[in-house]
Amino acid sequence: MAQIHPTALVDPAAELDATVTVGPFTIIGPHVKIGAGTTIGAHCLIEGHTTIGRDNRIFQFTSLGSVNQDKKYAGEPCELIIGDRNTIREYSTYHIGTVQGGGVTRLGNDNWMMAYTHLAHDCVVGDHTIFANNTQLAGHVQVGDWVIFGGFSAVHQFVRVGAHAMTAMCSMVVADVPPFVMAQGHPAQARSMNFEGLRRRGFSPDRITAVKRMHKALYRDDLTLEQAGERIAGLAKDTPDAEQDVRLMLDFLGGVNAHRGIVR
């Protein structure tokens, strides 16, 4: 049996692995599934069609799987899916999706979610991200792997934030942030590339040089977005080690889900 505090209310239909720990006064609904090794703190609410993977640490006063805040929502059985090894700190609120957005709000693996973070309906967050305190995502936001949000960052609905990007504290993100870009401001603008983060993740000097050249094409040489894309595409020939980085950038710039333009 899972280790459930006697004051917790866990619906008999909920599926909890035998190694799950549930703290006092927590409420878990009938459609919830929680994987091995996950710990749930005190005074949490986990409801809706919510699936939580292995070895997550969910701290007190967290609300997961509640009905979204989209006025079009009409009670459809949409989902919240959380992967493995995430840390979710106090007062975080993650909502289920909507049928208009695919029906699922998703958080990947190995994410570090600080206090008061919010994932609205239909957000999709990758792996290894860091959300500092009070990072707020509106509906339908897409976040790539290794993204870092500074505290009090707010992201407009339908915005995409590419892998390895970073925002500074109090950034208001109303346009897409391409991969590797560091953005700051209200509204956020591109300031540089996340070079130090790439070094820490083991990027070679050649790959970092290629990212610098991407930045120059996008932001320094007064090119149109189409012209910048053509120049970036040529970097794969000059620096074969950076082929995956070039592809990541080109896929983002040509993404079918682009609605907001990019930060400039």
Side-chain angles (χ1 to χ4, degrees):
M1 294 291 292
Q3 302 174 55
I4 300 173
H5 192 276
T7 62
L9 298 177
V10 179
D11 193 284
E15 300 179 22
L16 277 61
D17 185 86
T19 58
V20 169
T21 300
V22 180
F25 302 104
T26 282
I27 300 173
I28 297 177
H31 304 296
V32 174
K33 301 177 182 179
I34 304 177
T38 289
T39 61
I40 313 294
H43 295 276
C44 294
L45 173 62
I46 305 176
E47 57 182 338
H49 292 264
T50 296
T51 301
I52 300 172
R54 301 174 60 93
D55 299 318
N56 294 282
R57 296 182 65 201
I58 299 172
F59 282 72
Q60 57 269 22
F61 303 106
T62 296
S63 175
L64 304 175
S66 294
V67 169
N68 57 65
Q69 298 177 125
D70 190 321
K71 293 178 71 174
K72 299 187 297 299
Y73 181 70
E76 300 90 349
C78 297
E79 297 181 78
L80 169 67
I81 299 177
I82 294 173
D84 303 331
R85 299 176 302 279
N86 297 289
T87 296
I88 301 174
R89 295 302 304 243
E90 300 85 349
Y91 296 99
S92 292
T93 54
Y94 304 163
H95 292 166
I96 60 172
T98 66
V99 293
Q100 295 85 1
V104 178
T105 303
R106 190 182 301 273
L107 177 68
N109 304 319
D110 301 294
N111 297 290
W112 186 260
M113 314 295 284
M114 298 188 195
Y116 293 92
T117 56
H118 177 65
L119 302 185
H121 58 88
D122 306 298
C123 288
V124 177
V125 177
D127 303 332
H128 303 286
T129 69
I130 297 174
F131 283 48
N133 297 317
N134 284 281
T135 294
Q136 308 283 299
L137 304 190
H140 307 278
V141 169
Q142 299 179 29
V143 177
D145 298 342
W146 298 102
V147 169
I148 299 175
F149 289 104
F152 295 88
S153 292
V155 185
H156 193 282
Q157 61 260 38
F158 293 101
V159 161
R160 302 173 303 143
V161 181
H164 304 283
M166 182 175 182
T167 70
M169 183 177 180
C170 296
S171 294
M172 175 63 72
V173 185
V174 298
D176 292 351
V177 182
F180 314 113
V181 168
M182 294 183 67
Q184 178 270 337
H186 192 96
Q189 298 178 359
R191 303 300 183 184
S192 183
M193 293 293 206
N194 187 16
F195 300 121
E196 183 57 33
L198 301 183
R199 292 187 188 97
R200 292 178 181 180
R201 290 166 207 147
F203 276 56
S204 67
D206 285 346
R207 291 177 69 187
I208 291 175
T209 297
V211 172
K212 290 179 179 179
R213 294 172 68 182
M214 291 186 210
H215 180 263
K216 190 170 185 291
L218 281 172
Y219 296 111
R220 299 299 183 191
D221 285 351
D222 198 26
L223 301 175
T224 67
L225 199 56
E226 182 178 0
Q227 291 169 334
E230 292 172 355
R231 182 181 294 182
I232 290 169
L235 295 176
K237 297 179 182 178
D238 299 338
T239 312
D241 287 350
E243 182 176 358
Q244 61 182 317
D245 308 317
V246 170
R247 178 49 51 196
L248 180 66
M249 180 65 79
L250 293 177
D251 287 347
F252 186 93
L253 297 178
V256 295
N257 294 318
H259 303 284
R260 303 286 306 173
I262 69 168
V263 294
R264 297 305 290 261

